Amino acid sequence: MMPERTPSVVVIGGTYVDMAIRCRQIPSAGQSAVGSALSYTPTGPGPNQAAQAALCGCQVHLISKVGGDVFAQMARKSLADFDVNIEHLFTSPAKNTGIVVTLVDALGENAVCTYSGANSALVPQDIQAAEQVISEADVCLIHGALPQEAIVAAIRCAQVHGVKVILNPARPMGPARPQGELPAEYFLADILIPNLYEAADITDQEAANIHTAKLIGSELVARGVRAAVITMGKRGCMVVDRNGADHIPAFGVELVDQAGRGDAFAGALAAYYAVKNDVREAVKFASAAGALACTKFGSIEALPTKDEIIQLLQKEDIDLLPGGR
Ligand SMILES: Nc1ncnc2c1ncn2[C@@H]1O[C@H](COP(=O)(O)OP(=O)(O)OP(=O)(O)O)[C@@H](O)[C@H]1O
Ligand SMILES: [Mg+2]
């Protein structure tokens, strides 16, 4: 048995509100459509990963930035409902909260436009203001689609305090998308968790696939990360560290909606790793969370609880029990 104590995770990731309208057909340029249903849902790697770690029994702080608008209130309310500490959810009053506008047609196909808003204003000073909570965490989980200087500051801060770092090196989209080499600090991460496309991007390959994942993982380890976990959707993931490379297959589930799978995976990985320093076990636990997130509509509302994750693992005869409440 693991010792009973509450593991602690700090999540640094973008906060968004998804404004989704259902319509019969997604209009193309110059057309208009009439909506039949509307929903507002807090989402983004920040809230989703923080909620997932909290659902796994961790004490969670989110470091992120919202605007001075009504959407910020929605995000705060949702995070509080998931028991996520928002003491360091900063506000940039002159900005808007990050927004995702989604149109969903009768067949369930999406058209999506994302506006990063206050997320692009997260600065190193914000990270410094949160140094105390970072220093007290077991794991600092960072999502890459944020200003690079803030990410670098977070990695440095965690390292100074001996806090483990898990980094998803996704890059911000749009015109501000940084080109070229990632900062050297990214390779100080304990675990780097790119998906196949991100892995190809970092290592300057045309495309990555299940066959090259091992090679890419080794390259990332050679560049300094303690472990590389390359996620490949329903093809599972490749874990590479100094002990070798292992393919961890995905769980077979009935696919309903893939939104949130990457965040469920990352949040659960951080929660497990906060308790036990075993990357392969943590990846199995996280894979169950990623798979379960695919079985329900939505992202934050589709995240599985720790009990649901453990049930799926037990169904496959995998006996993992992270500590915590
Ligand atoms: N269809 C699926 N069936 C079972 N497991 C899945 C499925 N999709 C994802 N997973 C699990 O979740 C993990 C992360 O998924 P994926 O590689 O798609 O991340 P991602 O591309 O970062 O996702 P996102 O677009 O949400 O950021 C996978 O390695 C796998 O374990
Ligand atoms: Mg992802």
Side-chain angles (χ1 to χ4, degrees):
M1 279 293 282
M2 309 286 296
E4 279 301 315
R5 62 172 193 89
T6 307
S8 155
V9 172
V10 169
V11 173
I12 306 177
T15 297
Y16 292 82
V17 170
D18 183 1
M19 185 195 308
I21 303 182
R22 192 169 279 283
C23 53
R24 206 166 52 82
Q25 205 174 3
I26 294 168
S28 42
Q31 289 185 326
S32 65
V34 174
S36 59
L38 169 70
S39 71
Y40 291 103
T41 319
T43 187
N48 292 345
Q49 298 181 358
Q52 184 63 75
L55 286 167
C56 290
C58 295
Q59 187 189 318
V60 184
H61 283 262
L62 173 63
I63 302 174
S64 192
K65 197 167 252 185
V66 291
D69 53 20
V70 63
F71 300 114
Q73 292 310 321
M74 291 181 190
R76 283 199 189 86
K77 163 85 173 58
S78 167
L79 287 159
D81 288 347
F82 279 101
D83 254 341
V84 172
N85 186 307
I86 51 171
E87 199 183 321
H88 297 290
L89 180 62
F90 300 105
T91 302
S92 206
K95 301 222 178 255
N96 286 108
T97 299
I99 290 287
V100 182
V101 174
T102 306
L103 298 178
V104 188
D105 74 10
L107 300 172
E109 293 289 344
N110 284 350
V112 179
C113 181
T114 298
Y115 176 68
S116 65
N119 291 300
S120 353
L122 192 79
V123 288
Q125 289 89 312
D126 295 324
I127 304 299
Q128 279 145 25
E131 178 164 4
Q132 181 77 23
V133 301
I134 294 175
S135 73
E136 288 164 3
D138 295 303
V139 168
C140 184
L141 172 61
I142 307 171
H143 192 270
L146 287 171
Q148 266 182 2
E149 310 76 58
I151 295 177
V152 167
I155 296 170
R156 287 206 186 116
C157 179
Q159 291 232 312
V160 164
H161 295 286
V163 175
K164 295 179 273 190
V165 171
I166 302 179
L167 172 63
N168 179 343
R171 298 212 212 198
M173 300 301 281
R177 184 181 169 82
Q179 299 289 326
E181 284 285 292
L182 291 179
E185 284 84 355
Y186 281 33
F187 300 95
L188 299 174
D190 290 271
I191 312 182
L192 204 63
I193 48 170
N195 65 22
L196 270 178
Y197 309 100
E198 292 152 359
D201 186 36
I202 306 170
T203 51
D204 264 335
Q205 310 228 358
E206 283 286 298
N209 57 52
I210 188 161
H211 306 293
T212 54
K214 201 165 154 176
L215 215 66
I216 291 178
S218 314
E219 184 179 332
L220 295 174
V221 170
R223 283 168 79 170
V225 304
R226 189 157 293 171
V229 176
I230 298 168
T231 69
M232 307 180 291
K234 64 173 188 290
R235 288 165 294 175
C237 24
M238 187 64 75
V239 180
V240 185
D241 62 9
R242 282 178 184 78
N243 298 323
D246 289 292
H247 176 239
I248 312 279
F251 290 86
V253 288
E254 201 150 323
L255 178 65
V256 174
D257 170 19
Q258 300 192 326
R261 62 197 164 163
D263 294 333
F265 181 91
L269 183 76
Y272 197 97
Y273 201 61
V275 179
K276 194 172 173 195
N277 232 324
D278 187 318
V279 183
R280 285 164 182 76
E281 279 188 14
V283 165
K284 281 179 196 157
F285 185 78
S287 302
L292 287 166
C294 296
T295 63
K296 287 187 193 160
F297 276 110
S299 50
I300 203 163
E301 64 274 45
L303 299 172
T305 63
K306 178 170 155 183
D307 286 346
E308 289 168 333
I309 297 171
I310 290 172
Q311 264 175 33
L312 178 58
L313 289 163
Q314 283 173 346
K315 227 173 80 186
E316 308 278 331
D317 270 337
I318 302 172
D319 196 15
L320 297 179
L321 262 190
R325 53 190 146 105

